[in-house]
């Protein structure tokens, strides 16, 4: 979305409308002050003292992902790609979330790590650990910039402030409550934000559907390609807006999705704050439940906006990122408008808080403590974490302007994931599966994967494969398909280099890897006894995860059947 520089507010709110975000800001700041009283140690600040119940962690887990990417980004996808954007939820999130809870959380939680890079240090070596910590820190600053830009944009629409002032004020508000209460403040804030977001976006969906004549009326006004999900994904002859099934299934459904949900510490940190191993495993499973229906609040508004907003996504018209703000301006009456604005603000604050809390943890525990200032007091690292929060938010002010240059921030985000998450996920998968994987194989593989993704990204616009019908016109280029294949390129480069270097370098001793690889449990783990404790079926990650996956298949088949009846 190109920011307005006119200094004129585009959303005309009444006093009642302004009261909603003002009350919300006040509640969030008070929440930070209250949580600060219980934040006495570094463990409290970074992992909430591992005391959170599963349902709070689960809602915070999904809310942390409901930032600019989830709301503006997927609405932009709904407008640009149509119903196929549902893949970002049902194949691009839920299976990976279930896998994280069932298979990966025992490694993270029982090893008592503070972060994903710390796990890599224990599994491989300090060099791999430091490389990933630096990569993660940079990626979180870039992603925080996306959320900050979106938050500042709403402030600009409200008040007509210049973009720089809007970004600065928005950054200060997020900074205040995270510095005060750390992860606990972020988590409790995210639970509140989850409900605010749903209640705020619901009127946009309801009123928007009424204006277009319901689901059947919407289908009649959309291009036929915008109603496809798995249709038109033949390899070499695709016309689906997201490209062919190889890119969707392998690139998005496996590599980008599993890479994000199983290695992104900004999300995993919520599960690590749970009060028990089973609660930690249930956290992403509980988060997957509302994820089933979130396309109604994100993708669907984008499709409605394509019908109701003239020139959306075209030259001279609003960018795809502007789908939801434009609908708010067009459809919502005063009072309801203020609630919707508050929902967007809540979402962007939740996303940015997740990024910044992940950054401050990794910077403190994985960069500062082991390499720059060892063996200091607990209060020292607590202060370093708070300073890192300030540094992270200041840096994200700069990266917000990078996000501002993209017409669809989801395209930008998926590109970042292919660069940063896919190589990490690949060495993680190989490392937990094969004890022989060497530290230097993992280090070189991670570098090779990022380089491979970069080469694929810059080569894609020059290859007819990524253009519908093979006709190399800008309007026919699928940026998301290019991102999916970029992830595949990263996976291949990472795997090949990791395996080749492993054959010529020494591995860690097998006994050193207890609790860090599949099939080699650590009997001394503080949570080893939990594996013997029976839990009711509704608290079993395996059972509940299976139920949710069945629901995904059923919903997918229903959508395809509905499409065939049109």
């Amino acid at each position: 979305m190109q920011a307005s520089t006119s200094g004129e507010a585009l959303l005309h709110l009444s006093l009642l409308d302004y009261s909603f975000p003002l009350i919300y800001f006040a509640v969030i700041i008070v929440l930070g002050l209250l949580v600060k009283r219980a934040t006495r140690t570094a463990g409290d600040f970074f992992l909430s003292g591992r005391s959170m119940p599963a349902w709070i962690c689960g809602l915070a887990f999904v809310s942390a992902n409901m930032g600019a990417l989830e709301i503006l980004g997927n609405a932009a996808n709904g407008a640009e790609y149509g119903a196929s954007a549902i893949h970002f939820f049902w194949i691009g999130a839920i299976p990976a979330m279930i896998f994280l809870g069932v298979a990966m959380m025992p490694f993270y939680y029982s090893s008592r790590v503070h972060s994903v890079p710390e796990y890599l240090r224990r599994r491989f070596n300090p060099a791999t650990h430091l490389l990933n910590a630096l990569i993660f820190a940079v990626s979180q600053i870039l992603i925080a910039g996306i959320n900050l830009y979106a938050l500042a944009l709403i402030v600009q629409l409200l008040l007509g402030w210049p973009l720089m002032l809007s970004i600065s004020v928005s950054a200060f508000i997020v900074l205040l409550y995270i510095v005060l209460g750390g992860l606990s403040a972020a988590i409790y804030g995210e639970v509140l934000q989850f409900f605010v977001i749903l209640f705020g976006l619901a009127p946009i969906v309801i009123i928007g559907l009424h204006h277009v004549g319901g689901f059947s009326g919407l289908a009649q006004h959309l291009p036929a390609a915008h109603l496809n999900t798995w249709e038109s994904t033949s390899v070499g002859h695709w016309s689906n807006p997201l490209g062919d099934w190889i890119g969707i299934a392998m690139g998005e459904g496996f590599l980008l999705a599993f890479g994000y949900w199983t290695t992104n510490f900004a999300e995993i940190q919520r599960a690590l704050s749970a009060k028990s191993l089973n609660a930690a495993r249930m956290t992403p499973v509980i988060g997957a439940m509302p994820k089933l229906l979130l396309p109604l609040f994100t993708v669907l508004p984008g499709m409605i906006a394509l019908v109701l907003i003239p020139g959306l996504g075209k030259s001279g018209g609003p960018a795809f990122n502007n789908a939801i703000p434009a609908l708010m301006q067009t459809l919502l009456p005063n009072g309801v408008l203020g609630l919707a604005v508050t929902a967007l603000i809540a979402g962007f604050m939740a996303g940015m808080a997740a990024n910044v809390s992940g950054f401050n943890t990794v910077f403190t525990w994985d960069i500062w403590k082991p390499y720059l200032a060892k063996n200091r007091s607990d209060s020292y690292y607590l202060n370093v974490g708070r300073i890192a929060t300030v540094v992270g938010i200041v840096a994200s002010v700069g990266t917000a302007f990078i996000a501002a240059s993209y017409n669809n921030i989801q395209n930008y985000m998926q590109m970042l994931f292919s660069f940063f998450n896919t190589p990490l996920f690949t060495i993680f998968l190989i490392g937990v599966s094969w004890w022989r994987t060497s530290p230097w194989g993992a280090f070189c593989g991670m570098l090779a994967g990022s380089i491979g993704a970069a080469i694929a990204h810059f080569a894609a616009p020059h290859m007819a494969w990524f253009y519908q019908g093979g006709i190399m016109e800008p309007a026919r280029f699928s940026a998301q398909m290019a991102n999916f294949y970029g992830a595949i390129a990263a996976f291949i480069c990472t795997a090949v280099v990791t395996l080749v270097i492993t054959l010529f370098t020494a591995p860690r001793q097998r006994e050193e890897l207890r609790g860090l690889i599949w099939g080699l449990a650590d009997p001394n783990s503080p949570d080893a006894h939990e594996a013997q404790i029976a839990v009711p079926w509704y608290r079993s990650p395996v059972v509940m995860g299976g139920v949710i996956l069945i629901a995904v298949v059923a919903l997918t088949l229903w959508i395809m059947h509905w499409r065939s009846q049109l």
Side-chain angles (χ1 to χ4, degrees):
M1 182 188 325
Q2 302 302 317
S4 169
T5 57
S6 64
E8 179 184 354
L10 300 180
L11 296 178
H12 302 290
L13 276 69
S14 67
L15 182 62
L16 176 62
D17 291 315
Y18 279 111
S19 68
F20 285 105
L22 290 176
I23 292 171
Y24 172 75
F25 284 139
V27 170
I28 284 293
I29 292 173
V30 169
L31 182 62
L33 289 169
L34 292 175
V35 173
K36 184 178 186 296
R37 297 180 181 179
T39 305
R40 300 183 178 90
T41 69
D44 293 335
F45 187 81
F46 295 114
L47 291 178
S48 301
R50 294 196 178 222
S51 61
M52 295 288 181
W55 72 271
I56 286 182
C57 293
L59 291 180
F61 186 90
V62 70
S63 180
N65 182 246
M66 291 176 67
L69 170 64
E70 188 80 349
I71 299 174
L72 288 193
N74 278 303
N77 271 346
E80 186 171 1
Y81 304 123
S84 58
I86 294 174
H87 290 316
F88 289 98
F89 295 84
W90 293 350
I91 188 174
I94 291 176
M97 295 167 75
I98 302 301
F99 180 79
L100 170 64
V102 170
M104 302 308 299
M105 280 314 302
F107 291 114
Y108 290 133
Y109 192 88
S110 296
S111 60
R112 287 299 193 262
V113 297
H114 286 81
S115 65
V116 173
E118 185 180 347
Y119 173 87
L120 293 179
R121 176 179 61 80
R122 297 188 186 185
R123 173 61 182 88
F124 296 113
N125 61 2
T128 306
H129 166 253
L130 180 60
L131 174 63
N132 178 247
L134 292 171
I135 289 175
F136 178 84
V138 171
S139 69
Q140 289 307 292
I141 294 301
L142 289 169
I143 297 171
I146 296 175
N147 284 297
L148 179 57
Y149 162 66
L151 176 58
L153 184 64
I154 297 303
V155 174
Q156 184 188 34
L157 292 173
L158 286 175
L159 303 176
W161 292 351
L163 187 61
M164 184 63 197
L165 178 60
S166 301
I167 287 175
S168 300
V169 171
S170 302
F172 175 77
I173 294 170
V174 177
L175 170 66
L176 188 59
Y177 88 93
I178 299 179
V179 167
L180 289 173
L183 181 61
S184 293
I187 286 178
Y188 283 120
E190 285 158 2
V191 173
L192 171 64
Q193 288 155 351
F194 174 80
F195 292 104
V196 171
I197 290 166
L198 293 188
F199 282 115
L201 294 180
I204 299 176
V205 177
I206 295 170
I207 298 174
L209 281 175
H210 174 74
H211 276 261
V212 298
F215 286 100
S216 59
L218 177 63
Q220 293 173 5
H221 288 91
L222 287 171
H226 272 57
L227 301 176
N228 291 337
T229 51
W230 285 105
E231 298 87 353
S232 306
T233 58
S234 300
V235 177
H237 304 283
W238 59 273
S239 59
N240 188 289
L242 291 186
D244 61 38
W245 66 264
I246 293 178
I248 296 174
M250 181 67 177
E252 167 61 11
F254 177 53
L255 296 174
L256 288 173
F258 279 68
Y260 175 81
W261 291 103
T262 66
T263 65
N264 182 9
F265 183 61
E267 300 291 338
I268 293 170
Q269 189 181 26
R270 273 78 193 141
L272 289 178
S273 69
K275 64 181 180 180
S276 67
L277 173 58
N278 193 69
R281 297 181 71 198
M282 281 296 292
T283 292
V285 176
I286 292 172
M289 296 177 187
K291 200 76 172 177
L292 278 170
L293 300 179
L294 283 181
L296 287 174
F297 298 90
T298 54
V299 175
L300 184 58
M303 297 169 69
I304 294 171
L306 189 66
V307 175
L308 297 181
I309 307 302
L312 184 66
K314 298 179 180 178
S315 179
F320 288 121
N321 290 334
N322 209 13
I324 285 184
L327 281 179
M328 290 165 52
Q329 181 184 14
T330 303
L331 300 178
L332 299 187
N334 290 115
V336 178
L337 181 59
L339 181 61
V341 166
T342 307
L344 293 186
I345 292 174
F348 306 150
M349 287 181 68
M352 187 177 178
N355 302 137
V356 173
S357 59
F359 169 80
N360 66 28
T361 303
V362 168
F363 178 85
T364 304
W365 288 100
D366 297 292
I367 298 175
W368 192 266
K369 181 178 180 179
Y371 301 107
L372 298 175
K374 298 180 180 180
N375 303 319
R376 301 295 182 90
S377 67
D378 189 78
S379 60
Y380 172 83
Y381 294 118
L382 175 60
N383 290 329
V384 170
R386 286 185 166 133
I387 293 171
T389 302
V390 177
V391 172
I393 289 183
V394 170
S396 67
V397 170
T399 61
F401 289 95
I402 300 176
S405 65
Y406 280 80
N407 187 40
N408 183 336
I409 56 176
Q410 178 74 285
N411 292 342
Y412 174 47
M413 184 75 81
Q414 295 291 343
M415 180 192 72
L416 294 180
F417 290 166
S418 68
F419 280 29
F420 300 129
N421 291 75
T422 302
L424 171 60
F425 170 67
T426 306
I427 66 162
F428 200 106
L429 189 63
I430 297 174
V432 300
S433 305
W434 186 35
W435 77 270
R436 177 70 177 76
T437 308
S438 72
W440 289 110
F443 179 87
C444 296
M446 195 185 307
L447 279 178
S450 294
I451 293 171
I455 293 173
H457 170 71
F458 290 109
H462 305 286
M463 300 174 64
W465 181 264
F466 298 101
Y467 291 81
Q468 185 175 348
I471 301 173
M472 297 178 67
E473 297 176 351
R476 293 175 173 267
F477 180 72
S478 175
Q480 287 292 19
M481 182 181 176
N483 289 330
F484 299 160
Y485 272 85
I488 294 173
F491 172 76
I492 293 172
C493 291
T494 303
V496 170
V497 171
T498 298
L499 295 175
V500 170
I501 299 297
T502 289
L503 296 177
F504 296 95
T505 53
R508 295 277 303 277
Q509 293 298 312
R510 187 180 176 90
E511 286 301 309
E512 297 176 353
L513 303 178
R514 288 196 172 276
L516 299 174
I517 61 174
W518 281 323
L520 195 63
D522 180 6
N524 299 317
S525 167
D527 307 294
H529 69 284
E530 280 205 46
Q532 310 302 322
I533 300 176
V535 297
W537 68 269
Y538 57 85
R539 289 177 54 197
S540 167
V542 176
V543 174
M544 292 306 301
V547 171
I548 294 170
L549 290 177
I550 291 172
V552 169
V553 174
L555 285 171
T556 300
L557 293 175
W558 179 81
I559 289 286
M560 295 178 69
H561 174 73
W562 174 76
R563 171 70 174 91
S564 68
Q565 300 300 309
L566 295 176

